[in-house]
Amino acid sequence: MSNTSPNFITSSLGKKYLMGFTGLFLIVFLVVHVCINACIYFNDSGVTYNMVAGFMANNIIMRILEVGLFLGIVLHVVQALILTLQNNKARPQKYAVQNSAASSTWYSRSMGLLGTLLLMFLVVHLANFWVPTKVAVFNGEEHNTFESLKPVFSNPLILTVYLLGLVSLLYHLLHGFQSAFQTFGLNHKKYTPFIKAFGFWYSVIIVLLFASMPVTMFLGLIK
Amino acid sequence: MSHGNMNLTLKIWRQNSAKEQGQLVTYPVTGISPDMSFLEMFDILNEQLVSKNESPIVFDHDCREGICGMCSMVINGRAHGPKTGITTCQLHMRSFKDGDTIVVEPWRAQAFPVIKDLAVDRSSFERIQAKGGFISVNTGTAQDANCLPIPKNDADASFNAAACIGCGACVATCKNASAMLFVAAKVSQFALLPQGKIEATARVKNMVAQMDLEGFGSCTNTGACEVECPQGITLENIARMNREYLVANCKD
Ligand code: HEM
Ligand code: SF4
Ligand code: FES
């Protein structure tokens, strides 16, 4: 048998490996992100929070990781787009009747949609916090990150957008976490139930923690 | 004949060729016995159509005992109908109720073009198989085979993968029309045995390449294929193929 196959990375399986890898990288990032944000719960007018945020903003390693994070998101989104378009093309004529619920969950079938909602949320999120911070740094101004949270989260519309974004994240992760391990070929009678349970609790806990922040800010519990 | 014969409304996909547009056509059928198989009901309907000088509905079938994998039909939105673990020929009319409307469509996938009505062209599977679903070493006689010690778990897993009948229900069910479960079964069947290891690298690479070339979608791990597969082929096989593919690409 001679080998006539194309590149790893242009194959469907190669693209899936990249999706899974960038997805898991984003999952790790979310842990770091939620830990930093949790500093608002010191409830000390943002002293601790600003200290940690300042450390992250002025640290060369963090700057490099930030570039990596952007690259990770872009790769994830581009591969998602290519794969989703290819997958749609694989069935040009749809079924008149399809009982999809009999064999899979709705969110496992809606990763493209959930991802798109996430992307829209990310744009809003970056416009709210990341852009003003960068503008201030660029202009050499003093920027109190903690104080900049308050006006944003006192807006009920923005609060709603954040909560909807987090619901999308919840369902994206409920499928995505365990899906990445299956993509890497890690499916084992003994360990897969643990991976699935861990993924479930990871998704629920991280989303609840993130959600608690805009809610407590909105209610004025964080001073 | 048992009592309680049924009257049903069938909505069946009619399409003259891959190039022409198809449509659902309604056929009422009466006096259907609950003991009939789904295909026997089609035989009766076709006899009626022939006697009325109409063209019979074309559908694939061969063994009618659940082993050849020919009887491809999506019935009320599910591959092989409402029951799991069986093919259409093993589906009985007692799974339906008197007065039911039943919609029957062909497998729908870019890589499975409709030949006529419910029959689709699955030669894309053959071409994938021809890229590596075999071994080219001499395995000797039965005695030689017995001299090769193979762990029971591996032998069982290989045997279970080899149970794939190439029916295409996995493709028909998958939202991406992905052939991953089929290809994974064919790769796994050999990957687990010493005789298959010799060509393992080229096999997985070439079969995946052909799968992509045929226009099947990729896997998003929804798990729908595993639920609808009549032979109980599991997602573990897809994971094994993913591993094999990564290792094969690291090697050369
Ligand atoms: C915080 C952000 C995100 C995280 C943590 C994340 C995580 C993941 C993970 C772990 C997977 C599973 C990979 C696999 O099955 O191998 C995945 C798949 C996917 N993601 Fe994301 N993702 C994020 C953002 C996005 C965005 C912004 C988009 C789209 C525009 C997107 C679209 C998709 C799609 C289409 C899939 C494929 C579904 C599948 O193969 O199962 N994701 N994501
Ligand atoms: S894996 Fe199952 S559903 Fe797919 S072709 Fe083989 S027997 Fe049919
Ligand atoms: S006709 Fe052979 S499996 Fe149904």
Side-chain angles (χ1 to χ4, degrees):
Chain A
M1 236 185 272
S2 67
N3 170 18
T4 54
S5 68
N7 275 335
F8 176 71
I9 209 64
T10 54
S11 72
S12 60
L13 263 64
K15 290 202 194 79
K16 283 286 327 197
Y17 266 100
L18 197 59
M19 283 296 288
F21 183 75
T22 49
L24 280 191
F25 175 65
L26 293 174
I27 280 174
V28 174
F29 158 75
L30 289 181
V31 176
V32 179
H33 193 22
V34 85
C35 287
I36 294 169
N37 289 11
C39 291
I40 60 167
Y41 289 126
F42 281 100
N43 218 350
D44 52 3
S45 314
V47 174
T48 314
Y49 177 82
N50 276 338
M51 198 179 74
V52 176
F55 169 77
M56 297 305 278
N58 300 314
N59 183 309
I60 180 70
I61 297 174
M62 289 304 146
R63 296 270 65 78
I64 295 170
L65 280 179
E66 189 179 25
V67 176
L69 179 63
F70 266 88
L71 216 66
I73 293 178
V74 169
L75 274 177
H76 191 80
V77 170
V78 169
Q79 297 294 338
L81 197 73
I82 298 174
L83 283 173
T84 307
L85 289 179
Q86 274 176 355
N87 290 343
N88 282 342
K89 234 176 57 193
R91 175 165 297 132
Q93 168 100 50
K94 309 293 172 212
Y95 288 106
V97 178
Q98 194 170 19
N99 185 354
S100 306
S103 48
S104 60
T105 59
W106 71 266
Y107 50 90
S108 76
R109 297 191 302 272
S110 314
M111 292 297 275
L113 174 71
L114 292 165
T116 308
L117 292 175
L118 268 177
L119 191 64
M120 285 157 62
F121 165 74
L122 275 178
V123 172
V124 174
H125 184 48
L126 291 179
N128 282 342
F129 301 115
W130 185 78
V131 173
T133 313
K134 292 289 154 182
V135 168
V137 169
F138 186 75
N139 294 335
E141 290 162 9
E142 195 61 30
H143 184 71
N144 188 333
T145 313
F146 179 76
E147 286 306 319
S148 75
L149 300 176
K150 287 181 176 169
V152 174
F153 289 137
S154 59
N155 182 338
L157 192 69
I158 293 189
L159 179 72
T160 314
V161 168
Y162 271 67
L163 293 181
L164 288 178
L166 284 167
V167 171
S168 313
L169 180 65
L170 173 66
Y171 282 105
H172 198 76
L173 290 175
L174 279 180
H175 178 66
F177 192 103
Q178 53 85 34
S179 171
F181 287 87
Q182 165 76 7
T183 298
F184 297 153
L186 302 170
N187 184 329
H188 190 280
K189 277 192 180 56
K190 202 159 147 192
Y191 306 111
T192 297
F194 173 76
I195 292 171
K196 287 193 171 169
F198 189 89
F200 173 82
W201 288 110
Y202 166 90
S203 315
V204 171
I205 291 170
I206 206 125
V207 164
L208 284 181
L209 283 175
F210 272 126
S212 71
M213 294 159 187
V215 169
T216 46
M217 301 276 302
F218 181 77
L219 297 175
L221 298 174
I222 306 292
K223 302 263 166 16
Chain B
M1 269 293 172
S2 63
H3 299 288
N5 284 359
M6 299 181 284
N7 299 334
L8 303 161
T9 307
L10 301 175
K11 290 190 173 172
I12 300 171
W13 187 260
R14 305 291 319 248
Q15 184 173 343
N16 266 328
S17 71
K19 292 196 178 63
E20 285 163 78
Q21 287 284 317
Q23 86 222 43
L24 286 171
V25 178
T26 305
Y27 298 98
V29 286
T30 53
I32 296 298
S33 156
D35 296 331
M36 274 180 200
S37 80
F38 202 78
L39 298 189
E40 282 166 334
M41 177 197 60
F42 262 75
D43 294 337
I44 289 189
L45 173 61
N46 271 347
E47 269 177 34
Q48 290 171 3
L49 291 177
V50 170
S51 69
K52 283 191 285 183
N53 257 340
E54 288 177 36
S55 85
I57 297 151
V58 174
F59 62 97
D60 266 333
H61 61 105
D62 188 15
C63 70
R64 298 215 178 188
E65 55 182 6
I67 54 169
C68 76
M70 285 303 281
C71 48
S72 52
M73 287 185 190
V74 170
I75 301 162
N76 284 343
R78 291 190 66 182
H80 295 139
K83 294 266 157 91
T84 53
I86 54 168
T87 51
T88 307
C89 57
Q90 301 302 296
L91 176 67
H92 287 83
M93 295 316 295
R94 55 179 166 269
S95 300
F96 299 90
K97 291 194 308 290
D98 185 33
D100 274 0
T101 297
I102 307 173
V103 179
V104 189
E105 295 174 79
W107 283 177
R108 294 202 189 280
Q110 168 81 22
F112 288 164
V114 169
I115 298 170
K116 193 173 187 330
D117 299 336
L118 300 171
V120 297
D121 180 354
R122 276 170 291 190
S123 53
S124 46
F125 267 15
E126 314 277 318
R127 288 187 292 272
I128 295 173
Q129 187 71 341
K131 285 286 173 181
F134 54 83
I135 53 170
S136 30
V137 293
N138 193 341
T139 54
T141 62
Q143 188 212 347
D144 299 317
N146 285 331
C147 289
L148 267 180
I150 297 166
K152 175 87 170 108
N153 285 345
D154 289 351
D156 285 351
S158 170
F159 189 82
N160 289 342
C164 166
I165 54 178
C167 65
C170 42
V171 174
T173 301
C174 176
K175 80 177 244 294
N176 311 319
S178 166
M180 286 286 277
L181 196 64
F182 165 76
V183 183
K186 299 303 172 196
V187 165
S188 288
Q189 169 186 349
F190 298 109
L192 286 155
L193 301 179
Q195 294 93 334
K197 293 231 157 67
I198 302 158
E199 294 159 299
T201 326
R203 173 180 302 112
V204 69
K205 286 173 111 178
N206 293 343
M207 289 180 82
V208 168
Q210 188 64 31
M211 171 182 89
D212 288 352
L213 207 65
E214 295 289 349
F216 291 104
S218 67
C219 182
T220 50
N221 303 326
T222 68
C225 52
E226 177 184 63
V227 175
E228 298 293 16
C229 171
Q231 295 300 96
I233 308 292
T234 60
L235 293 184
E236 283 164 50
N237 292 289
I238 295 185
R240 183 178 298 106
M241 177 164 76
N242 290 347
R243 279 199 305 275
E244 289 273 319
Y245 192 71
L246 184 68
V247 170
N249 276 283
C250 290
K251 276 187 183 161
D252 58 29

